[in-house]
Amino acid sequence: MPALRNVTRRLGHRRWFAAAARVLVPADRLVSRLTRGRGV
C-alpha cells in the first residue's frame, strides 16, 4: 500500500483534510455502530 501511504502523507498536510477528518471520523464510527460493522 505504498501509494495509499503517499496520498495520505500529502493530504495530511492540508488544513481542509484535518477539518474533514474531524467530521468524517465520527460519522464513520456512527455508521459502523449503526450497521454493526457491516458497512453500507
Side-chain angles (χ1 to χ4, degrees):
M1 278 208 217
L4 181 60
R5 189 176 309 152
N6 291 338
V7 169
T8 304
R9 284 182 181 169
R10 286 184 181 170
L11 290 177
H13 294 286
R14 310 282 186 203
R15 286 183 184 175
W16 65 266
F17 188 75
R22 282 192 290 272
V23 173
L24 294 176
V25 170
D28 180 56
R29 288 182 183 154
L30 176 63
V31 169
S32 181
R33 196 174 319 134
L34 292 174
T35 62
R36 296 183 185 149
R38 289 178 297 211
V40 180

